[in-house]
Amino acid sequence: MIAWRLPLMAGVVFGGLVLLLTLRLIERSVFGLRRPFTPFVTQAVCRAVFPVMGIRLVRHGTPMRRRGAIVANHCSWLDIFALNALARVCFVSKSEVAGWPGIGWLARATGTVFITRNARDARQQKEVFEARLRAGHHLAFFPEGTSTDGRRVLDFKPTLFAAFFTHGLDAILSIQPVSLAYTAPPGEDPRFYGWWGAMDFGGHLLRVLAQAPQGRVEVTFHPQVPVAETADRKALARTCEAAVRAGLHAHLPPV
């Protein structure tokens, strides 16, 4: 399986990247921060990756169309492909990812917003969020702050939610909780697709590509939560966390 899946996946991803970077040159000069074309390229590439891997991608609910962001539980590097395949989003990621071989390059090309955990950068980061949101981008982030084995949801950190309450953004934005639930291949560990802790990316990628038959990932888009209807960032984080946890448990197969 690896002998044909790996080169085909690489061809799809990097071929799409060449097209994306070419179009981005036009976008940047004409539209500035706005990205009217390249998100469609990213979405098409990520959709194509799932048939190559043999993993079934199932959608429940409808991705948001109004201004705002989506928040999801974080299980694996596969989350990036799944969310991009179903919704045109720009991810928010920790700054360390920018330096990861291969992944960092792809993340920068697709418009990822990199953040630090340094308090002195908080104001600048809020301004970046605001500029992206006002440009019509749908941001996407993982409020748990780390990935898990895919069987649970960690507490959502409310820090990033603070940006949605600044400069009148609360009046125009909504947040959409999204649950990602993975079903392992028959006979495999239920945590098969989870990528967490000190797991090696290359090893996990090859293990997934070598698997046959594969399992599936179910992505549930929950009702949007208007920011203006929540009291503060902590209340917004709790509301989204509850929706994501309920969606995960609804679609996880029994162990």
Side-chain angles (χ1 to χ4, degrees):
M1 287 294 180
I2 293 179
W4 67 268
R5 277 180 175 166
L6 183 58
L8 184 55
M9 183 174 175
V12 169
V13 171
F14 289 102
L17 180 61
V18 171
L19 176 59
L20 184 149
L21 292 175
T22 302
L23 287 175
R24 185 59 191 143
L25 291 175
I26 301 172
E27 281 184 331
R28 185 180 290 112
S29 61
V30 178
F31 300 102
L33 270 182
R34 291 181 56 224
R35 293 173 176 252
F37 309 123
T38 50
F40 290 93
V41 176
T42 302
Q43 186 173 36
V45 168
C46 291
R47 283 182 176 175
V49 162
F50 282 93
V52 172
M53 292 189 293
I55 300 173
R56 185 182 174 204
L57 177 63
V58 180
R59 189 191 85 184
H60 304 285
T62 304
M64 69 187 306
R65 296 200 178 277
R66 65 173 296 182
R67 288 184 177 180
I70 67 172
V71 297
N73 57 309
H74 193 14
C75 315
S76 170
W77 52 271
L78 287 163
D79 302 343
I80 308 298
F81 286 99
L83 290 173
N84 269 318
L86 298 174
R88 294 183 290 278
V89 296
C90 293
F91 279 91
V92 177
S93 179
K94 58 185 180 181
S95 58
E96 294 90 332
V97 173
W100 291 2
I103 296 178
W105 187 38
L106 288 171
R108 288 193 297 272
T110 53
T112 298
V113 180
F114 295 106
I115 60 171
T116 67
R117 297 173 183 173
N118 195 318
R120 69 170 179 264
D121 297 326
R123 180 175 179 179
Q124 181 183 2
Q125 289 170 173
K126 285 183 181 180
E127 291 173 354
V128 171
F129 288 170
E130 180 179 355
R132 290 294 195 100
L133 290 164
R134 291 192 183 280
H137 296 192
H138 286 128
L139 298 181
F141 61 97
F142 302 112
E144 293 166 293
T146 187
S147 56
T148 70
D149 61 7
R151 306 289 301 179
R152 59 199 173 118
V153 175
L154 303 178
D155 292 342
F156 278 16
K157 301 180 186 303
T159 307
L160 287 178
F161 290 89
F164 305 120
F165 290 88
T166 59
H167 302 101
L169 288 178
D170 55 332
I172 62 173
L173 298 181
S174 290
I175 309 300
Q176 184 170 40
V178 179
S179 302
L180 296 117
Y182 289 84
T183 298
E188 295 291 340
D189 188 313
R191 303 170 298 172
F192 179 82
Y193 291 114
W195 179 57
W196 75 96
M199 284 186 174
D200 174 66
F201 169 71
H204 192 269
L205 169 66
L206 294 177
R207 185 161 66 97
V208 169
L209 293 180
Q211 176 62 39
Q214 291 277 20
R216 70 178 183 272
V217 53
E218 298 184 62
V219 184
T220 303
F221 291 88
H222 300 285
Q224 299 168 41
V225 181
V227 176
E229 295 181 9
T230 55
D232 52 32
R233 61 187 176 90
K234 292 183 179 180
L236 183 57
R238 287 194 300 269
T239 298
C240 292
E241 178 188 326
V244 171
R245 181 174 285 112
L248 174 67
H249 292 161
H251 294 288
L252 277 182
V255 177

